[in-house]
Amino acid sequence: MYESIIFDIDGTLIDTEEAVIKGLQKMLETDYGRVVERERLIFALGIPGRDSLPQLGIEDVKRAHDRWNHFIHEFFETVKVFDGIADLLEGLKNKKATAGVVTSKTSQEVIDDFNPFGLTDYMDYTVCSSDTKKHKPNPEPLLKYLEISGADPKKSIYIGDTIYDYQCARDAGIDFGLALWGCINQENIDAKYKFEKPTDILEVVETLK
């Protein structure tokens, strides 16, 4: 049973896939004249933009990343909190479990893209890409979370939707739960748990006094 529940954001708490991919497609077409099909961009979900953009042959990463964020906001109406997340977070609060976030978003992206959905108050700790030198799938972000929260890794679980999340948890020595509601491809993801819906997570969370 777990006392500390750590979440990824995109694809786990909020559904950002449409906005992220369409924003990237528009940036590539507008700024580089490249029409890139959706399937070739799926790899960019779950890792920082500054890591994914070089894989697309982009050299001026900062400018491209800023432009990508600009275009993401053109599709922001497609972003929503996944069904069941609010009930899950209320349930964790009632069990007095610690909840937090480890995300590939920068601190500014957390402010702009996550805070508006009203979930921030449920989170006791947040680690974003601005807080570590290395990023998912490297374990450093989760190790940083354990450091600042004081959480017991044996009583902690990381919930995410990509293989990057799984690799990060595995190498940090933390159990991993796969968020099937946001997962595009679950092959090769050897999760300890595969949760069909958010509230299923409550079944593995200890009730604290």
Side-chain angles (χ1 to χ4, degrees):
M1 299 292 280
Y2 302 101
E3 298 176 357
S4 180
I5 317 302
I6 313 163
F7 296 98
D8 172 47
I9 291 180
D10 291 344
T12 303
L13 294 175
I14 58 176
D15 185 356
T16 55
E17 180 185 330
E18 196 76 5
V20 168
I21 296 296
K22 284 189 173 180
L24 182 53
Q25 285 178 314
K26 187 162 184 180
M27 184 275 288
L28 290 170
E29 183 172 4
T30 303
D31 293 1
Y32 297 90
R34 296 169 56 186
V35 177
V36 183
E37 58 198 38
R38 181 186 191 87
E39 289 69 27
R40 289 182 56 202
L41 300 176
I42 293 298
F43 80 92
L45 299 171
I47 56 175
R50 62 173 161 267
D51 293 339
S52 58
L53 289 169
Q55 296 182 48
L56 292 166
I58 291 173
E59 295 180 359
D60 191 347
V61 171
K62 185 183 186 309
R63 179 187 179 280
H65 193 243
D66 289 344
R67 292 282 287 166
W68 183 4
N69 280 328
H70 167 76
F71 287 121
I72 282 175
H73 284 90
E74 289 192 9
F75 302 99
F76 204 67
E77 73 279 357
T78 66
V79 180
K80 60 180 175 48
V81 178
F82 282 108
D83 291 341
I85 291 297
D87 291 336
L88 164 62
L89 296 178
E90 276 295 325
L92 293 178
K93 185 178 178 181
N94 291 338
K95 285 175 173 280
K96 294 183 170 56
T98 300
V101 161
V102 169
T103 177
S104 293
K105 289 182 177 295
T106 65
S107 56
Q108 191 60 50
E109 287 169 343
V110 169
I111 292 169
D112 295 339
D113 305 338
F114 180 61
N115 291 5
F117 292 97
L119 305 180
T120 312
D121 288 346
Y122 290 100
M123 303 304 162
D124 298 294
Y125 304 95
T126 298
V127 172
C128 56
S129 67
S130 316
D131 296 322
T132 59
K133 291 182 178 179
K134 296 179 181 179
H135 310 108
K136 293 187 290 186
N138 189 281
E140 187 173 319
L142 271 175
L143 294 175
K144 179 72 172 180
Y145 183 95
L146 294 176
E147 177 189 330
I148 65 173
S149 68
D152 181 349
K154 294 181 179 179
K155 288 186 172 288
S156 302
I157 185 170
Y158 187 43
I159 311 295
D161 65 299
T162 71
I163 193 165
Y164 308 119
D165 298 322
Y166 159 68
Q167 291 167 340
C168 180
R170 178 196 64 197
D171 293 345
I174 295 177
D175 286 342
F176 180 68
L178 186 62
L180 290 177
W181 58 87
C183 181
I184 298 168
N185 183 2
Q186 59 176 293
E187 291 182 21
N188 303 317
I189 303 180
D190 187 23
K192 181 163 185 177
Y193 300 96
K194 293 189 176 182
F195 297 110
E196 293 283 346
K197 59 184 187 297
T199 50
D200 291 346
I201 295 169
L202 294 172
E203 296 174 12
V204 300
V205 178
E206 191 171 339
T207 300
L208 301 174
K209 295 181 181 179

